[in-house]
Amino acid sequence: MSQNNRLSQGGRIDRSRVLTFTFNGQQYPGFAGDTLASALLANGVDVVNRSFKYSRPRGITAAGPEEPNAIVQLGASEAAQVPNVRATQQALYDGLVARSTNGWPNVQRDVMSWVGKLGGSFMPPGFYYKTFMAPASMWMTYEKFIRKGAGLGRSPAESDPDIYDHLNQHCDVLVIGAGPAGLTAALAAARAGARVILCDEQEEMGGSLLDSREVLEGASATEWVERVVAELADMESVTLLPRTTANGYHDHNFVTLHERCTEHLADTAADAGRAGEVRSRLHRVRAERVVLASGSHERPLVYANNDVPGNMVAGAISVYLRRYGVAPGQRLVLTTNNDHAYRTALDWKEAGREVVAVVDSRANPDGDRVKQVRDSGIRVITGSAVMEASGSQRVSGARVVAIDTTRFVVTGKIEELACDTIASSGGYSPVIHLASHTGKRPQWREDLLGFVPGEVKGMHFAGGVQAVYALGETLADGARAGGEAAKAAGFDQAEAITVPSVEACAESATSALYQVPHEKPTLRAPKQFVDLQNDVTAAGVELATREGFESIEHVKRYTALGFGTDQGKLGNINGMAIAARCLHRSIPEVGTTVFRPNYTPVSFGAIVGRHCGELFDPERYTALHQWHVENGAEFEDVGHWKRPWYFPRQVDGKTETMHDAVARECLAVRQGVGILDASTLGKIDIQGPDAREFLGRIYTNKWAKLAPGRVRYGLMCKDDGMLMDDGTTSCLAENHFLMTTTTGGAASVLEWLELWHQTEWPELQVYFNSVTDHFATMTVTGPEARKLMAEVTDIDLDREQFKFMDWKQGTVAGVPARVFRISFTGELAFEINVQANYALHVWKALFAHGEKYDLTPYGTETMHVLRAEKGLIIAGQDTDGSVTPEDLGMQWAVGYDKPFPWIGKRALTRPDTAREDRKQLVGLKPKDPKVVLEEGAQIVLDREQKIPMTMMGHVTSSYYSPVLESGFALAVLKGGRNRMGETVYLPMSDGTTHEAEVVNTVFFDPKWERQNV
Amino acid sequence: MFYIHCPYCGERREEEEFHPNGQAHLVRPADPDSVSDEEWGDYLFFRDNPRGIHHEMWVHRLGCRKFFNITRNTTTYEILETYPMGEQPTITAETAKVRHEQGVQTADGGWQTVGARPENSTLNEETPS
Ligand SMILES: [Zn+2]
């Protein structure tokens, strides 16, 4: 079998370049310029898939994105697998390997047809709906077979070898579609001076002109296309994007374009000899104006057995004949309700094939094309339609009958015409998808028999998308839209462009016909398919309306109409028309149709672009990160930061466990000296004459008297009185403060300060700036901290001179530094801030001097244990947005008598926040010291209570303490402060119950002596 | 994705740079202690959710860090104007209704003129591109 259906001449293919491809394991030849679909048709491959539900053989039906059947899985290797590729849109390349997505194990053999034969009762309309409603076990039984037999492709099991890109673009006018309307629109806009992007989903630009019979300015349509595209390509302000689908139209003229860069050449860019290039690219275009020139899709008619291979949309046949030199059969019957489709009969005859008859539903068609067909000797049967196709693997005949469309009945005797191909045309549906992506409802035009787009601000419509079909009018409409778009974008010097002359062609009116009446009632006639991809039939739609589904949206969900990868491009209007007929309503009364992005499927690669691997989410490193890596740190993610979690050592050739490392680090701090990289703490520089006043309003405590050189701990609430963040703020000078925040709260606290300043108190002179990255912060803490610091700093460290909660300016290791005597460990501590680029130098100097004190680096886990031993909270861990300062026992940090109604004050006087039985922060000490309670574990008072138990609170922080040699925890507990010494219970999911004693939150050094030494 | 005119930066930028901050023009009681718990609760928790014209506060988070207000149509997502803190909107549900009845578009070209305030504004003159 070798391209038996290929014509000896014609088409836009390159017969000198033979390509070899494989479909379902068999090799075929094709030509450069073919699509996979045209090459399959050239080789006479009738059956390309099995249908989803009934497992019926299916052939190629259309020639573009509306193709419902020829959905293939592409890729020779596992890594290059691409599912859900429409053969009609895939350019053929040498070595292409494709297989059917449906039709396990083989589309030619009928293994799955038992499902099809049982079809009516096995999977009636509403099958999914009913199955999911029924016991789930039933679905499990069916699913295995259905998924396997009717899967829609599979994802690759190996990682994609290709790279993908995103490109942000701006333009004045984006023209979507490079058919006749798009080309004149782009030309008009570009000549007016606008920056234009012209994109088109096909392999080459020209749209319907590429298969047109018409003559423009005395030349063939394709010659005119070449001239215009060449002129546009020469213009610097024009970007041409062929092979680029506009897939989504989003708010404010934001359009996503999917450009296929190497997909038409080979499985991967490397296979195409273009290693390192992107496979496809997502353009994110912000356009001043959009011209939508997306044209129309021809609707097939709905008649019995209209899915048998050999039934095709009329226009698609013309495309295969004229663009690819392929005649997909020998003997054609054309059934139509309009003039335009007559071209297919002429094209077929010119290809040397036989036109058996044209069957026209209209009584007296008399347009120019009709006359041309009659003059060429082709039989025209009027007032009739193809009622039913004969054949199973391929059309063998057409059953034609006279019909009465008003009464929806057949009126004459059935005539059987022998043929192998039936072309049908039920008129044209404007491709309005992008115009409805932002929610605009399209409008039904009974005079045009189609939905046209509703008004979309910033979008202009040209040509077929608003049901302007005659070529001359389409060209003029494009020029108008392009000029208007350019003008709206600010280019009003638009020169009128001359639209090429086209020979006028008189047309007789199209009649409304969607489903062809059958001699039997719809429910008893052979299957009349509406949505080929989902196997939705006219009977199914009728059944849905009988079961009470009256809105098309409900009918769609009930029948799965329009749910496939083709999104009902061919079937939606027919389905609505059938529902409307059954309900005795008009189409707009049944509903409108709204489309969502994307217009055609987009690969995940293109959506993700370069945002994969380590670029998926940004990582932040401190200035000391490399040292941590070199010293074996395990890291923890805190926000985007990578923080050292702990520093395991090698002991006897083995790596310490986390438990051992943390215990060692904790003891080093409690007994010697440790050091923490605390650079990730948020730091905000606050300046201005009203800085102090501002702090007083934003913090719960008092700031009026904080002197330069002093530091204070502050609590920040939201206006609902709940703790939001905490940290220390230092007075650097009278009008200058340095605020610290939690690592995670750095950005949100800065925005919080800006919010209150800008929106409530703009009269305050105060300015905020983030300095988190400017300074590295190193915490040197432990009983030996002062001795170590004395070796590296010129600051007087005397405990009377440099008191707890003081800060001093000086040098550390020879570089300028601010040193703060604040402690998050309960030990003597110095927090050193140096310019970030000095950090490594200072850190290394500290280790050089610290060796004799066994200076020990510690990570966040040890930090957590040490702070929890002291009952110091972490906002966001021990609090959750429902905890007040009083719940935490921090009344000492609340200035109720401050003059200004600071943030959160009002809420703290509400009866609810004053309740005695609120959840309050307490310590928990497990009765068994070996137990470390689970964070999040619920607390109950009566361990014998039946489920549901009365839950009194939960554990917020829990660790093992090496100094206490016991587990310990912080928790919030209802009325906790009055429960000191009580025993509470923590039932676990494995059935065990832990016992714990309610204790003070400060587990170690309750007199706070150690930090003051 | 919105295209938002920052009244401080003076140009339209991508939505990714901005962050919404809820309903605009909320007034914090000047003397919170004098309002009832119910009034305080209203201020804290209750927000309008209109279909149509809505005034929202946004912040140019990854830009100038300024808060400003937006008049937006919640059904069409059209941004009718943006204006700095402290100013009042020129387009409200009432004026939009009047304009509609008079047959005047609420904002010529819709979001195209975002920020270019219809009257008496010196802040948001857009230079034609
Ligand atoms: Zn800004």
Side-chain angles (χ1 to χ4, degrees):
Chain A
M1 194 155 52
S2 180
Q3 307 208 52
N4 286 341
N5 285 338
R6 186 77 73 177
L7 303 175
S8 56
Q9 57 181 18
R12 301 178 63 75
I13 42 167
D14 180 355
R15 286 181 169 77
S16 69
R17 282 182 57 210
V18 179
L19 309 175
T20 306
F21 70 100
T22 307
F23 179 68
N24 285 341
Q26 178 153 0
Q27 277 205 349
Y28 299 97
F31 292 131
D34 262 327
T35 61
L36 175 56
S38 68
L40 286 168
L41 287 171
N43 286 287
V45 178
D46 289 338
V47 181
V48 296
N49 244 330
R50 286 272 164 186
S51 79
F52 178 63
K53 195 159 111 181
Y54 302 115
S55 194
R56 288 164 69 110
R58 289 285 164 78
I60 292 162
T61 300
E66 70 276 32
E67 169 61 37
N69 293 331
I71 311 297
V72 300
Q73 177 90 16
L74 211 62
S77 67
E78 180 56 35
Q81 291 298 306
V82 184
N84 296 331
V85 173
R86 290 153 304 284
T88 50
Q89 291 193 293
Q90 177 60 52
L92 193 69
Y93 52 80
D94 205 39
L96 181 148
V97 176
R99 60 186 68 249
S100 308
T101 49
N102 287 4
W104 159 77
N106 182 328
V107 289
Q108 298 294 337
R109 239 179 288 141
D110 224 9
V111 176
M112 276 300 283
S113 68
W114 63 272
V115 178
K117 287 180 181 133
L118 291 169
S121 56
F122 185 69
M123 283 173 82
F127 171 77
Y128 289 102
Y129 177 76
K130 287 169 177 165
T131 307
F132 284 124
M133 298 297 283
S137 57
M138 288 297 281
W139 172 246
M140 303 303 280
T141 311
Y142 301 140
E143 191 196 17
K144 266 187 227 108
F145 293 98
I146 292 161
R147 287 266 177 250
K148 198 166 180 188
L152 284 169
R154 63 178 186 87
S155 51
E158 288 174 17
S159 121
D160 191 333
D162 272 309
I163 53 171
Y164 301 82
D165 232 353
H166 287 174
L167 189 60
N168 293 314
Q169 301 231 62
H170 289 79
C171 68
D172 298 312
V173 178
L174 167 66
V175 181
I176 297 168
L183 286 172
T184 52
L187 207 54
R191 287 206 190 143
R195 279 178 308 154
V196 174
I197 294 176
L198 173 62
C199 69
D200 188 275
E201 71 182 341
Q202 299 207 50
E203 288 295 308
E204 54 178 332
M205 294 193 162
S208 62
L209 292 173
L210 297 173
D211 57 87
S212 173
R213 301 176 59 82
E214 295 187 77
V215 173
L216 283 79
E217 285 174 335
S220 74
T222 51
E223 281 173 68
W224 182 81
V225 169
E226 274 163 40
R227 258 200 340 260
V228 174
V229 171
E231 181 183 342
L232 290 168
D234 270 350
M235 297 170 86
E236 240 177 73
S237 59
V238 177
T239 304
L240 295 179
L241 293 175
R243 247 175 251 113
T244 302
T245 307
N247 267 314
Y249 175 79
H250 307 271
D251 292 312
H252 304 178
N253 271 5
F254 182 75
V255 190
T256 46
L257 312 178
H258 180 220
E259 181 189 9
R260 300 178 293 283
C261 304
T262 67
E263 287 174 38
H264 60 299
L265 299 172
D267 271 10
T268 67
D271 291 341
R274 289 164 72 167
E277 291 184 33
V278 296
R279 183 162 191 272
S280 68
R281 180 178 287 131
L282 195 72
H283 297 257
R284 298 150 45 95
V285 180
R286 185 69 75 171
E288 282 292 327
R289 292 276 150 173
V290 171
V291 175
L292 188 61
S294 44
S296 60
H297 288 150
E298 194 172 11
R299 284 193 295 269
L301 290 169
V302 178
Y303 49 91
N305 295 332
N306 58 340
D307 67 325
V308 174
N311 284 288
M312 294 176 76
V313 178
I317 291 176
S318 286
V319 169
Y320 289 116
L321 287 165
R322 300 186 67 88
R323 278 183 69 181
Y324 302 103
V326 172
Q330 299 293 330
R331 310 184 72 211
L332 177 80
V333 169
L334 167 68
T335 179
T336 178
N337 65 348
N338 64 82
D339 273 23
H340 191 253
Y342 275 71
R343 68 178 179 133
T344 300
L346 296 169
D347 291 337
W348 189 270
K349 190 161 197 287
E350 278 169 25
R353 302 296 204 262
E354 183 192 348
V355 180
V356 178
V358 174
V359 187
D360 195 321
S361 66
R362 299 169 297 179
N364 297 300
D366 61 351
D368 288 348
R369 284 196 196 84
V370 181
K371 285 179 191 142
Q372 218 183 327
V373 164
R374 283 192 163 124
D375 291 348
S376 70
I378 294 171
R379 180 185 173 199
V380 176
I381 307 169
T382 57
S384 304
V386 170
M387 177 193 84
E388 185 177 324
S390 310
S392 60
Q393 299 277 314
R394 173 83 197 201
V395 168
S396 61
R399 303 183 74 204
V400 174
V401 69
I403 55 169
D404 179 336
T405 53
T406 321
R407 288 165 44 226
F408 196 67
V409 289
V410 302
T411 56
K413 258 189 72 178
I414 294 158
E415 180 181 0
E416 175 105 23
L417 302 174
C419 65
D420 62 7
T421 307
I422 300 174
S424 83
S425 176
Y428 299 85
S429 297
V431 180
I432 54 172
H433 300 65
L434 272 80
S436 68
H437 279 179
T438 53
K440 277 283 157 63
R441 299 253 156 198
Q443 284 140 22
W444 179 259
R445 288 277 302 272
E446 192 59 35
D447 54 335
L448 303 170
L449 299 175
F451 280 104
V452 296
E455 187 204 345
V456 179
K457 279 198 172 139
M459 188 185 263
H460 304 254
F461 303 105
V465 69
Q466 50 183 1
V468 174
Y469 297 130
L471 181 56
E473 290 171 35
T474 303
L475 293 162
D477 200 43
R480 171 201 55 79
E484 284 176 10
K487 192 170 178 192
F491 300 87
D492 39 16
Q493 307 301 318
E495 47 176 305
I497 70 158
T498 321
V499 172
S501 58
V502 181
E503 214 176 298
C505 175
E507 286 201 11
S508 37
T510 302
S511 75
L513 180 63
Y514 307 96
Q515 180 190 359
V516 178
H518 195 274
E519 58 176 333
K520 293 179 184 165
T522 302
L523 292 177
R524 290 174 48 212
K527 291 191 168 54
Q528 301 160 304
F529 285 93
V530 179
D531 179 334
L532 289 151
Q533 197 175 90
N534 282 303
D535 267 355
V536 177
T537 61
V541 174
E542 186 168 325
L543 204 61
T545 62
R546 287 193 186 188
E547 292 198 11
F549 295 89
E550 299 199 344
S551 152
I552 193 63
E553 292 301 327
H554 296 153
V555 171
K556 282 166 77 174
R557 276 156 187 76
Y558 190 66
T559 59
L561 170 68
F563 274 27
T565 58
D566 62 334
Q567 287 287 293
K569 288 185 176 73
L570 287 183
N572 266 359
I573 305 297
N574 284 333
M576 293 176 72
I578 292 164
R581 176 178 60 73
C582 296
L583 294 164
H584 307 290
R585 293 189 193 161
S586 68
I587 288 177
E589 280 170 347
V590 172
T592 55
T593 179
V594 171
F595 301 94
R596 316 242 176 259
N598 285 315
Y599 173 67
T600 48
V602 181
S603 71
F604 280 108
I607 293 168
V608 170
R610 300 290 174 109
H611 301 281
C612 50
E614 61 176 3
L615 297 179
F616 179 66
D617 203 24
E619 290 178 358
R620 295 178 78 182
Y621 305 127
T622 74
L624 298 165
H625 185 76
Q626 190 57 32
W627 190 94
H628 303 324
V629 171
E630 286 164 7
N631 285 272
E634 292 291 330
F635 288 91
E636 180 184 28
D637 292 338
V638 184
H640 282 137
W641 290 103
K642 290 280 175 198
R643 295 196 70 178
W645 191 11
Y646 58 97
F647 291 84
R649 279 187 186 166
Q650 299 300 316
V651 181
D652 303 330
K654 278 192 202 148
T655 308
E656 269 180 324
T657 62
M658 178 172 168
H659 181 269
D660 290 349
V662 170
R664 175 180 51 73
E665 291 171 14
C666 285
L667 291 173
V669 172
R670 293 277 181 240
Q671 293 163 8
V673 59
I675 186 165
L676 173 79
D677 178 4
S679 304
T680 62
L681 279 186
K683 295 179 272 295
I684 301 170
D685 192 275
I686 303 174
Q687 301 191 36
D690 295 318
R692 191 178 289 276
E693 170 66 21
F694 185 88
L695 289 173
R697 297 182 184 188
I698 211 86
Y699 272 131
T700 61
N701 47 345
K702 295 180 184 177
W703 297 84
K705 292 194 177 119
L706 188 72
R710 291 292 288 165
V711 184
R712 185 163 289 169
Y713 174 75
L715 293 179
M716 225 178 263
C717 285
K718 296 209 163 175
D719 231 346
D720 60 6
M722 304 303 155
L723 187 81
M724 173 188 127
D725 206 85
D726 66 344
T728 60
T729 290
S730 306
C731 184
L732 301 182
E734 182 53 31
N735 297 331
H736 190 184
F737 295 83
L738 181 69
M739 174 185 282
T740 65
T741 73
T742 57
T743 296
S748 57
V749 168
L750 177 64
E751 191 167 299
W752 180 250
L753 305 181
E754 292 283 9
L755 170 72
W756 286 94
H757 179 228
Q758 291 178 34
T759 64
E760 284 292 329
W761 315 313
E763 70 281 3
L764 296 186
Q765 281 194 58
V766 57
Y767 306 89
F768 315 96
N769 203 3
S770 167
V771 291
T772 302
D773 290 294
H774 303 49
F775 296 100
T777 303
M778 295 161 253
T779 304
V780 178
T781 180
E784 306 276 26
R786 186 177 279 112
K787 271 192 240 164
L788 170 58
M789 284 298 290
E791 294 187 26
V792 293
T793 183
D794 60 358
I795 296 169
D796 182 355
L797 301 175
D798 180 85
R799 69 184 291 251
E800 296 308 318
Q801 295 303 311
F802 193 1
K803 294 203 240 342
F804 186 62
M805 297 307 262
D806 276 351
W807 78 272
K808 300 271 187 217
Q809 180 86 44
T811 64
V812 174
V815 305
R818 290 175 185 148
V819 179
F820 304 78
R821 263 208 63 193
I822 50 184
S823 177
F824 200 43
T825 61
E827 299 295 328
L828 174 66
F830 298 91
E831 223 169 85
I832 307 163
N833 274 16
V834 296
Q835 211 171 284
N837 52 332
Y838 292 145
L840 192 56
H841 160 76
V842 174
W843 187 267
K844 283 182 170 169
L846 285 163
F847 274 92
H849 289 272
E851 208 181 335
K852 52 186 165 296
Y853 308 109
D854 192 21
L855 177 64
T856 302
Y858 67 95
T860 49
E861 189 64 20
T862 294
M863 176 191 84
H864 276 282
V865 176
L866 297 174
R867 63 92 197 170
E869 285 172 348
K870 298 295 298 180
L872 296 169
I873 60 148
I874 289 197
Q877 174 163 348
D878 300 296
T879 69
D880 60 4
S882 70
V883 178
T884 69
E886 300 221 8
D887 296 339
L888 296 166
M890 288 181 161
Q891 295 85 328
W892 52 270
V894 180
Y896 284 109
D897 56 348
K898 285 196 287 182
F900 188 86
W902 42 270
I903 307 303
K905 181 187 180 190
R906 173 66 181 81
L908 294 179
T909 61
R910 290 170 59 237
D912 188 66
T913 48
R915 272 189 297 118
E916 285 282 297
D917 63 345
R918 286 181 65 84
K919 284 185 187 173
Q920 294 165 336
L921 189 75
V922 295
L924 289 184
K925 192 148 189 197
K927 293 277 168 80
D928 177 353
K930 290 194 293 294
V931 166
V932 177
L933 299 170
E934 271 183 36
E935 289 177 358
Q938 295 291 326
I939 301 167
V940 302
L941 299 180
D942 176 5
R943 66 182 301 169
E944 305 302 334
Q945 193 182 6
K946 285 227 159 49
I947 293 171
M949 303 172 96
T950 309
M951 294 186 284
M952 299 296 288
H954 63 274
V955 175
T956 60
S957 294
S958 178
Y959 312 94
Y960 177 79
S961 164
V963 290
L964 305 173
E965 294 182 331
S966 167
F968 73 105
L970 298 176
V972 288
L973 176 63
K974 283 183 183 174
R977 278 200 292 278
N978 291 327
R979 296 185 188 279
M980 288 298 147
E982 285 183 22
T983 299
V984 294
Y985 303 93
L986 300 107
M988 308 309 298
S989 55
D990 65 0
T992 59
T993 297
H994 297 307
E995 272 181 62
E997 182 189 345
V998 180
V999 297
N1000 190 283
T1001 53
V1002 185
F1003 289 85
F1004 182 70
D1005 182 26
K1007 293 186 174 159
W1008 298 89
E1009 285 165 346
R1010 299 175 68 92
Q1011 66 188 13
N1012 283 315
V1013 295
Chain B
M1 198 163 71
F2 293 168
Y3 204 24
I4 300 172
H5 182 273
C6 172
Y8 295 98
C9 293
E11 61 184 33
R12 283 180 285 162
R13 308 288 298 178
E14 294 296 327
E15 184 182 333
E16 290 159 332
E17 295 183 8
F18 298 87
H19 194 75
N21 224 79
Q23 186 177 334
H25 303 296
L26 292 177
V27 179
R28 186 177 194 251
D31 182 8
D33 290 330
S34 70
V35 302
S36 70
D37 282 347
E38 194 179 343
E39 285 168 310
W40 186 252
D42 284 348
Y43 154 71
L44 277 185
F45 302 119
F46 286 81
R47 299 291 182 265
D48 298 335
N49 186 18
R51 182 188 167 91
I53 304 288
H54 189 39
H55 307 288
E56 300 169 340
M57 181 160 64
W58 284 65
V59 59
H60 196 179
R61 179 179 275 179
L62 301 177
C64 63
R65 274 190 359 223
K66 287 283 194 183
F67 287 82
F68 60 94
N69 294 325
I70 281 178
T71 303
R72 188 172 73 90
N73 186 319
T74 59
T75 57
T76 64
Y77 286 18
E78 191 180 358
I79 293 173
L80 300 165
E81 61 178 343
T82 64
Y83 51 99
M85 276 299 139
E87 292 194 14
Q88 292 301 311
T90 63
I91 298 165
T92 63
E94 289 71 38
T95 63
K97 198 167 158 237
V98 170
R99 280 162 195 247
H100 183 71
E101 280 162 2
Q102 291 169 346
V104 181
Q105 266 194 309
T106 42
D108 185 22
W111 56 271
Q112 288 291 335
T113 53
V114 161
R117 308 196 57 190
E119 296 114 4
N120 306 329
S121 174
T122 53
L123 269 159
N124 297 306
E125 304 289 5
E126 266 191 291
T127 47
S129 51

